[in-house]
Amino acid sequence: HVLHLWSIDALPSGADFTDTLEHGSYSLVAFVQGLSLTGSIPATSLLVVTSGAQCVLEDDPIAPAVAMVLGPCRTIPQEYPAIACRTVDVATATRSAWPDAVIDRLLADACIPESGLGIAYRAGYRWLQTYEPIDADLDGSASPLLRHDGVYLITARLGQLARPIPQWIASRTRARLTLTSRTGLPPRDRWPQITTADPESPVAGVIEFVRSI
């Protein structure tokens, strides 16, 4: 269990913007990059605690530099599935220390083995960010965005973050997809050997992804 606490004392009128980024999102990314250099990443629960990153109540102060850390929090679990990353935004302490009840709630949330939770503590309540699906084409009159016989070029790294887009297109159309990346793939006749020898390797993962679409 890891608690990232570098983003709890930077207010909009307080720390310098660059300094806040260094302590917040930059330090979080550096930590995860360092963890990845150890080889196989163990199951890790990462709780990022902020102050001023979420607007829950009308009078909540917002610190844009602090809110930047929310981006890495959303992408880290997609690039590193072994890391469960959550955020908790707390109101700025009016005293030199938080109440014991806040600390108890933080420790409890640090033990939740789930990613993607956006949590906030306000006025003694625990708020949880949720999303509701909407139907953008309620009457069916909109023209389809993709053609069944179309050809689509997708330029991106073929990591976990970029894969849902071509998967979504392939599942709904008979379009032809062209995927590009900086490293490319080994010759197709080597694919069975690579996926059998080390099925957990990044290259094997990309190969299985390409096969699936």
Side-chain angles (χ1 to χ4, degrees), residues 23 27 50 52 60 67 110 147 154 193 201:
H23 286 79
S27 70
T50 62
D60 281 348
R147 300 198 312 268
I154 300 176
Q193 177 186 357
S201 68

Coordinates of all heavy atoms in Angstrom, one line a residue, residues 23 27 50 52 60 67 110 147 154 193 201:
H23 N 5.9 18.4 -7.2 CA 5.6 17.6 -6.0 C 4.4 16.7 -6.3 O 4.2 15.7 -5.6 CB 5.3 18.5 -4.8 CG 6.5 19.2 -4.2 ND1 7.1 20.3 -4.8 CD2 7.2 18.8 -3.1 CE1 8.2 20.6 -4.0 NE2 8.2 19.8 -3.0
S27 N 6.1 13.9 -9.5 CA 6.6 12.9 -8.6 C 5.9 11.6 -8.7 O 6.4 10.5 -8.5 CB 6.5 13.5 -7.2 OG 5.2 13.6 -6.7
T50 N -5.1 14.5 -2.3 CA -5.0 15.9 -2.8 C -5.8 16.9 -2.0 O -6.7 16.4 -1.2 CB -5.4 16.0 -4.3 OG1 -6.8 15.7 -4.4 CG2 -4.6 15.1 -5.2
G52 N -7.8 20.5 -3.0 CA -8.0 21.5 -4.0 C -8.1 21.0 -5.5 O -8.1 21.7 -6.4
D60 N -15.8 25.4 -2.8 CA -14.5 24.6 -2.8 C -13.5 25.4 -3.6 O -13.7 25.7 -4.7 CB -14.7 23.2 -3.3 CG -15.3 22.3 -2.4 OD1 -15.4 22.6 -1.2 OD2 -15.6 21.1 -2.8
A67 N -4.8 19.7 -9.5 CA -5.7 18.9 -10.3 C -5.0 18.1 -11.4 O -5.5 17.1 -11.9 CB -6.8 19.8 -10.9
A110 N -7.1 3.5 1.6 CA -5.8 3.0 1.1 C -5.8 1.5 0.9 O -5.0 1.0 0.2 CB -4.7 3.4 2.0
R147 N -17.6 3.9 -41.6 CA -18.1 3.1 -42.8 C -17.6 1.7 -42.7 O -16.5 1.4 -42.2 CB -17.6 3.7 -44.1 CG -18.0 5.1 -44.3 CD -17.8 5.5 -45.8 NE -16.5 5.1 -46.3 CZ -15.4 5.8 -46.4 NH1 -15.5 7.1 -45.9 NH2 -14.3 5.3 -46.8
I154 N -4.5 4.5 -37.4 CA -4.5 4.8 -36.0 C -3.0 4.9 -35.6 O -2.3 3.9 -35.7 CB -5.2 3.8 -35.1 CG1 -6.7 3.7 -35.5 CG2 -5.1 4.1 -33.6 CD1 -7.5 2.7 -34.8
Q193 N 6.2 -18.6 -31.6 CA 7.3 -18.8 -30.7 C 7.4 -17.8 -29.6 O 7.6 -18.1 -28.4 CB 8.6 -18.8 -31.5 CG 9.9 -18.9 -30.6 CD 11.2 -18.7 -31.4 OE1 11.1 -18.5 -32.7 NE2 12.3 -18.8 -30.8
S201 N 5.1 -11.1 -21.7 CA 5.9 -10.0 -22.2 C 5.1 -9.0 -22.9 O 4.0 -9.3 -23.5 CB 7.0 -10.5 -23.1 OG 6.4 -11.0 -24.3

